[in-house]
Amino acid sequence: QLQLEESGGGAVQPGGSLILACTASDSRFRDYATGWFRRTSENEREFVAAIGWTADSTSYNYFAKDRFTISRHEDKNTVYLHMNNLKPEDTAVYICNAPYTDSIPGYGAWGQGTQVTVSA
C-alpha cells in the first residue's frame, strides 16, 4: 500500500499563502494521478485539485481556481498545492490521495492530512 504524508499546513491570516506537500513512500507515486481533498469542520470531504501523472493535466474545484496551483516534482516524489489569497472558509484538514480517479470515490491511498487554519 502506498504511503502518503502531507506537510506544510499551519495558521495564516486571510490573504496569506501556504504551500502544502504530499510525499510518497515509493516511486510508484510518479505513475499515479494525485488529488488533494479537504475535510471541513462539518466532516465533509471536498475535492480541491488533481494532477495527472505527466503533470500535463490538472483540474480544480471552483473555489480553488485562480487561487491554488497543483504541481509535482518528480525527483522529490512530491506533489505540491500552492495556496494563495487564503480565506477563512479554506480552513480544513488537507489530505492527498493517490492514485486519484474521479470515477471511484475513495479509491487509492490517503494520507493523514495537514491542518490549515485561516483566521484574523
Side-chain angles (χ1 to χ4, degrees):
Q1 177 84 1
L2 189 67
Q3 302 294 320
L4 304 175
E5 183 174 2
E6 303 91 342
S7 61
V12 296
Q13 294 184 340
S17 299
L18 285 172
I19 302 174
L20 306 185
C22 173
T23 302
S25 56
D26 64 62
S27 61
R28 289 179 296 163
F29 185 65
R30 302 176 185 178
D31 297 327
Y32 294 156
T34 300
W36 279 99
F37 290 76
R38 66 187 187 185
R39 188 175 298 281
T40 67
S41 58
E42 292 78 26
N43 206 35
E44 294 182 353
R45 188 172 66 196
E46 291 183 306
F47 168 75
V48 178
I51 188 167
W53 70 275
T54 63
D56 291 339
S57 174
T58 58
S59 61
Y60 298 89
N61 204 332
Y62 73 95
F63 57 78
K65 290 181 180 179
D66 300 324
R67 296 191 300 128
F68 297 179
T69 302
I70 190 169
S71 63
R72 66 189 312 148
H73 193 304
E74 300 304 337
D75 290 346
K76 294 184 179 179
N77 222 31
T78 301
V79 167
Y80 299 97
L81 185 67
H82 298 245
M83 305 191 296
N84 298 314
N85 190 23
L86 284 162
K87 304 175 181 180
E89 51 265 42
D90 294 319
T91 295
V93 176
Y94 284 72
I95 307 164
C96 68
N97 161 241
Y100 165 78
T101 173
D102 59 5
S103 60
I104 309 175
Y107 180 78
W110 297 80
Q112 294 297 309
T114 185
Q115 176 71 47
V116 171
T117 303
V118 186
S119 64

